[in-house]
Structure formats: C-alpha cells, structure tokens
Amino acid sequence: MLCMILTHTLTIAQQKPQINSPEFFGVRTGKHFFYAIPINGSRPMAIEAKNLPKGVNYDKKKGIISGSIAEKGKYRIEITASNKNGLAKKYFTIAAGDQLALTPPMGWSSWYSYGRKAKEADILKTAQLMKKYGLDQYGWSILEIDDPWTNQPDDKDPVWKQLNNKLNKDVYQYHEGPNNLPDRKGILRDGNGELLPNQHYKNIEQTVKQIHELGFKVGIYSSPGPLTCGGVAGSYGHELQDAQYFAKVGFDYLKYDWCSYGVYAKDNSEEELMKPYLLMGNALKEQPRDIIFSLCQYGMGDVWKWGHKTGGQLWRTGDDVRDNWASVYAAFKKLADKSEYVQPGRWNDPDILQIGAVGAESREGNSNHLTKEEQRTVMSMWCLLSAPLFIGANVEHIDPFTLSLLTNNEVIAVDQDALGKAANLKLTLDNKVEVWTKELYDGRIAIGLLNATDTAQNFDFQFSSIGADSSYYARDLWYKKNLGKQLKSLPCKIPPHGILLITLKKLQK
Ligand code: GLA
C-alpha cells in the first residue's frame, strides 16, 4: 500500500498547478477570517494573490489569505500559481457581507474515525497527515473535533436526575451516561463559568494554533442541552459565554447537536425547535471571527425550511449515517425532493462521508462495509446534492483508493459549484436506474446515473428523457475522459449500486 501511495505522490509531483478554490468565498464584514488557497500540483510552487481588498493580507509562504474587510462588497482577487510544469490563473471573489459558506463546507470529522476515543493528539496528527497527502490542496479545510471533548459530571450530579425526571416523549432527548466515559469525568466549568476541556484536550488552544499554522480551520462540537449525546458538558444556560470561548480559542466552525435539549423543548413546534439554535446563532454572530454554524438535530420539524433563519449555514437532514448501503441510500434518497431549500449559504447535510476507514465506535475505525462502487456513489451523490463534505475516514488508515475518491477535482467542483443548486431526482428509468441532475454555474448539467439495483445495468441513456433535446459534449468526471462531441445518447454499463457521473455541455449552434 505504501508503494501505491508513493505512486500517487509521484503522479502529483508531475502535475502542473490546478487552482481548486470555488468562485466565491463569503465573509462577514468586520470579522476575522482566513482562507488557504487550495491548489494541487507539484511543489515547490509559487503562489501569488493580487488585488486584495483593504484589511486583507496574503502570506505567500503559507498560501493563506487573512484579515478582515470593513466594507460590504465583492472583491475579485487574481490568483496565479506556477511550478516547473506550468502556470495556472484564476479569479476568486471574496463576498463581504453577512453570508458564510457560499459553497458547502469541506473537512474531516473525528466522529467516525476516532469516535469517543478521540484526543487532541489524534486531531493534530490527522491535520499533519491531510497536509502530507495533499488533501488541503483539494479544499478539505476544516478539522471538526466531535463529541466528547468536555467533562462528564459525576453520576451523583443533579443534572442526571433533572434530565431523567423531565423525560419528554414528544421531543427527541437522547443522551448517554452517567457512567459511559470514566476517563472524562471532571469539573464542567471553571469559577467564571467557562467550559473546561477534558483531560484529553488540555492544550486545546495550542492544538488549534498548530492546526491553523498548517492552513486548516478547526471545528468544535456542543449541544444546546446541558449534556451532549455522549453525556459530557453542553452549552445550556451558557450559550453566549461558550460562543465567546469558541471564538477565543480560535474555532472556525460549530456543530451544535440536539441531545438532552429535548427535555426543555415544550413541544415540536417550529418556534420551540428553532429557539436553541437562534440563541447560539446570534451568539456566534457577535463574535469577532467568522464561525460557520452547523445544526445537528436530524431533520426535526423540516429544518431545511428554517435552519438558515437561526444563522445556520448547514443542517443535518436525518439520523446518523452508517457504512451500509441501506443507510447511505436512505440518507441521499431523502433529499430527492429538497433541492429548493439549497442555495449558497444554505446546505442540506446528509451526514459525514462513509468513505475509507470509518466505524470507529464499533471497529476501531479501520474498515468500511461499503464496496468500492458504493463509496464512489456516496462521494458522487454528496457532490450532486451540494452536501457538506466531511471525511469520516481515519486518515492514518487511508489507502490509495480512498485518496482517489477524495482528490478528484472535477468531482469536487460539482459540489463546490458557484450556482449552489442541489440535484433533484429527475426520473427513474424502466430498469430502475435513477437519473439525478444538477445545473452548474457554467451552463453544463451534471448527471448521476445511479444503479440502485443489485444487478449490473446495460442500457442506452437517451438525453431527451430528461428534456435535453440538443446535441452535447459529454464528459465522465471520475475518469476525466471526454465521451464524445455530438451526442444525443450514451451507452451505459453501471455496476450494482454504482454510478456514472457525467456532465453534458450543449454544442453552440
Ligand atoms: C450524534 C450526532 C453524531 C455525533 C454524535 C456524538 O449522534 O448525530 O454526528 O456528533 O452525536 O455523540
């Protein structure tokens, strides 16, 4: 395997620069932000950024743009990158206003890779490995520290009693404990009420700094209830103080779960479901740095209709996804008719990518029960749906196949497309192949032909079946291969649970 990873690295060494930043990047006026320009290709590479607005600097050595923009507006920056194999140039627009995450956030989460055993050293090691494998060069930019990084109260603590006495069957209130995490028992907050990291995150400020130095952003996790799902301290009653703490430590992203808040929600009304998110959303907006807000309440009350009103940029649309076909298929199929709720800054989140070595909670995070074709389908469907992309894999166990799924810039570009539209399930063919289509910024259509059946499907895909009545250039995105110029149909051979991911471009008359 090492040999194959080396081959991958060698191939990269011969590439000319390719700038993978999306067209637009949103920042809030007056807030601190930073952005590491994702560019793949052989190193050394000289990267220049020109036409930077007032208040923004470019660190040439690190390839990082950072600062703060006072005036609302669109600032078009020219990026050039050159190495011994060639030169690339791209315009990149910083949109300063009140919107973040104009394209779906991309990163890695500790949840399926290390699960509850995650420690700060694992997070730092992952950042170093992501850098080593060049994942940052494709836009994988946030490392999210998931549950549990705070302390668990003693089992005599009244909070357990309170929660258990207040069981409210109508509103999801799940939490674990009181004795599930013996190595995380401790004091929840200091004398001033500030959250205390548990013994495995003692140097959290330093760790965040080191990860920032590598050019990555850092995400953190909390719950609006007094306890998180794992049963450690959440933010209930300390929302503003926690938002201030998150900003002080330097976090760039917050995943805010629901666990244990259910006992406080009076009912399932939209108002009650929105309440805790609005509180934290407003608290985050007050902070001096941009912090992306990710809602994690499993789709309750059709969150896709109102998540943005709380200040959120992304919201989980269902339960935790697992590495089996039924689970991933259900997660994306649920979004077949929800594209109208997606636009730049508003993303439906079907959960963390089940690609590579996942399953930390049950299997030490070093295997995957999905076939390779199924994992390719997961990546393709998440990109078609404009879903946030968070790597679930333990990067220590990454293999060349996983790396190939995570470093195809034509596939990732479908996810990061500036138009910000999500695919719809346009039609299901007679052979049960599903046709998912997504409009792209440059006028192309991205199409996923998904074989959800258990047998291979051979057929001719007629473009007219989706109302594409012209002649088209077709391109296979996974294989980066042109399929023909004046096409009206395409012969397809798709393995069970596999996908053909193509784009169609209309021929100019
Ligand atoms: C919930 C979330 C998961 C993860 C765990 C942590 O189950 O849905 O993504 O954050 O909590 O305990």
Side-chain angles (χ1 to χ4, degrees):
M1 191 185 85
L2 186 67
C3 174
M4 286 165 89
I5 288 186
L6 279 178
T7 319
H8 174 88
T9 318
L10 283 179
T11 324
I12 286 174
Q14 289 148 15
Q15 282 172 359
K16 59 181 194 178
Q18 276 183 292
I19 303 172
N20 296 316
S21 49
E23 310 290 322
F24 299 105
F25 180 70
V27 302
R28 290 200 172 114
T29 45
K31 309 285 178 182
H32 177 78
F33 72 89
F34 81 100
Y35 180 76
I37 310 168
I39 307 177
N40 71 292
S42 62
R43 266 47 185 183
M45 187 186 286
I47 305 171
E48 299 289 345
K50 280 194 210 143
N51 306 335
L52 292 171
K54 206 172 144 213
V56 177
N57 293 313
Y58 172 60
D59 181 333
K60 197 170 166 176
K61 220 167 133 212
K62 293 189 191 140
I64 294 177
I65 295 171
S66 66
S68 157
I69 303 177
E71 291 268 325
K72 195 174 168 188
K74 290 205 166 121
Y75 302 91
R76 200 162 178 249
I77 290 170
E78 184 190 299
I79 301 170
T80 48
S82 54
N83 63 12
K84 66 176 191 306
N85 303 311
L87 177 98
K89 187 166 163 173
K90 184 167 178 173
Y91 291 97
F92 165 74
T93 300
I94 302 185
D98 55 8
Q99 276 198 302
L100 301 180
L102 294 178
T103 58
M106 287 177 69
W108 169 90
S109 165
S110 65
W111 182 239
Y112 288 110
S113 45
Y114 296 99
R116 292 190 179 145
K117 296 193 190 90
K119 300 182 173 62
E120 60 192 335
D122 300 320
I123 316 291
L124 181 59
K125 191 177 8 168
T126 302
Q128 289 158 344
L129 286 172
M130 285 174 71
K131 187 95 192 159
K132 178 174 158 198
Y133 293 135
L135 286 165
D136 55 326
Q137 299 172 13
Y138 294 84
W140 302 99
S141 57
I142 305 166
L143 282 97
E144 185 252 335
I145 302 173
D146 212 287
D147 206 16
W149 65 275
T150 50
N151 277 315
Q152 181 160 74
D154 189 76
D155 49 358
K156 307 265 179 334
D157 193 289
V159 73
W160 298 111
K161 223 176 178 174
Q162 253 177 45
L163 290 176
N164 292 337
N165 287 345
K166 278 195 171 184
L167 286 189
N168 174 350
K169 292 209 170 60
D170 284 331
V171 185
Y172 187 74
Q173 54 74 46
Y174 169 81
H175 63 82
E176 287 188 24
N179 286 313
N180 61 330
L181 296 166
D183 65 334
R184 320 256 162 159
K185 285 248 153 103
I187 302 168
L188 311 194
R189 293 178 182 271
D190 70 11
N192 298 320
E194 189 166 286
L195 260 183
L196 288 172
N198 64 41
Q199 56 156 326
H200 302 300
Y201 291 90
K202 278 209 169 107
N203 298 311
I204 198 154
E205 295 197 31
Q206 188 55 27
T207 303
V208 169
K209 221 179 252 159
Q210 284 174 280
I211 298 176
H212 280 165
E213 285 286 307
L214 291 167
F216 292 104
K217 294 173 195 269
V218 191
I220 194 68
Y221 167 97
S222 189
S223 263
L227 298 175
T228 68
C229 298
V232 298
S235 293
Y236 186 76
H238 294 269
E239 291 79 4
L240 182 58
Q241 191 172 20
D242 286 0
Q244 284 162 345
Y245 171 76
F246 298 148
K248 183 184 93 178
V249 177
F251 290 116
D252 309 287
Y253 178 100
L254 173 67
K255 171 174 169 183
Y256 207 41
D257 217 324
W258 173 263
C259 286
S260 91
Y261 183 81
V263 300
Y264 297 95
K266 288 195 203 102
D267 50 41
N268 280 330
S269 64
E270 195 168 299
E271 197 190 342
E272 280 298 295
L273 294 175
M274 272 179 78
K275 205 153 105 187
Y277 290 99
L278 203 52
L279 195 59
M280 183 51 92
N282 286 338
L284 290 176
K285 273 188 214 157
E286 281 183 33
Q287 302 315 309
R289 63 188 293 120
D290 279 340
I291 302 179
I292 293 175
F293 188 31
S294 156
L295 280 58
C296 177
Q297 47 81 289
Y298 335 110
M300 282 187 296
D302 294 351
V303 63
W304 40 88
K305 294 184 179 159
W306 52 262
H308 67 281
K309 292 191 205 158
T310 70
Q313 288 80 34
L314 60 155
W315 33 84
R316 276 272 297 278
T317 47
D319 287 336
D320 294 16
V321 79
R322 299 278 171 210
D323 57 332
N324 66 69
W325 177 248
S327 172
V328 294
Y329 182 69
F332 65 71
K333 198 65 188 279
K334 186 171 182 183
L335 301 184
D337 58 356
K338 295 183 180 57
S339 62
E340 67 180 288
Y341 305 105
V342 172
Q343 64 179 62
R346 300 183 191 179
W347 312 109
N348 284 333
D349 175 11
D351 205 4
I352 300 161
L353 290 165
Q354 298 299 296
I355 290 176
V358 291
E361 285 295 286
S362 48
R363 303 187 307 276
E364 306 299 325
N366 56 11
S367 62
N368 194 313
H369 289 139
L370 293 170
T371 65
K372 285 186 173 177
E373 283 308 329
E374 289 169 341
Q375 292 182 55
R376 190 193 303 283
T377 297
V378 166
M379 184 66 187
S380 311
M381 286 308 304
W382 261 238
C383 290
L384 282 164
L385 289 164
S386 298
L389 300 177
F390 278 81
I391 300 170
N394 184 320
V395 183
E396 289 181 70
H397 301 296
I398 209 150
D399 58 23
F401 175 72
T402 306
L403 217 43
S404 76
L405 292 189
L406 302 176
T407 56
N408 183 316
N409 45 10
E410 292 193 27
V411 173
I412 293 172
V414 170
D415 183 77
Q416 296 291 301
D417 187 71
L419 200 57
K421 294 220 170 182
N424 262 326
L425 174 56
K426 186 90 173 175
L427 120 128
T428 303
L429 303 172
D430 291 342
N431 60 4
K432 300 271 185 299
V433 167
E434 297 178 6
V435 187
W436 295 72
T437 63
K438 168 175 181 169
E439 285 169 54
L440 300 178
Y441 189 61
D442 63 5
R444 284 177 303 153
I445 320 171
I447 302 179
L449 294 162
L450 167 73
N451 177 8
T453 75
D454 295 334
T455 45
Q457 299 295 336
N458 286 302
F459 61 103
D460 258 336
F461 171 53
Q462 303 293 330
F463 302 159
S464 59
S465 67
I466 55 160
D469 286 324
S470 203
S471 294
Y472 297 86
Y473 287 105
R475 183 165 172 84
D476 183 319
L477 301 186
W478 279 114
Y479 293 94
K480 298 192 171 178
K481 204 173 125 199
N482 292 328
L483 300 172
K485 266 186 187 166
Q486 301 207 352
L487 302 179
K488 287 180 178 294
S489 66
L490 201 62
C492 301
K493 190 173 173 188
I494 309 179
H497 302 177
I499 197 165
L500 179 65
L501 183 62
I502 58 171
T503 50
L504 294 187
K505 184 177 164 197
K506 217 180 204 168
L507 280 180
Q508 300 297 339
K509 290 236 168 90

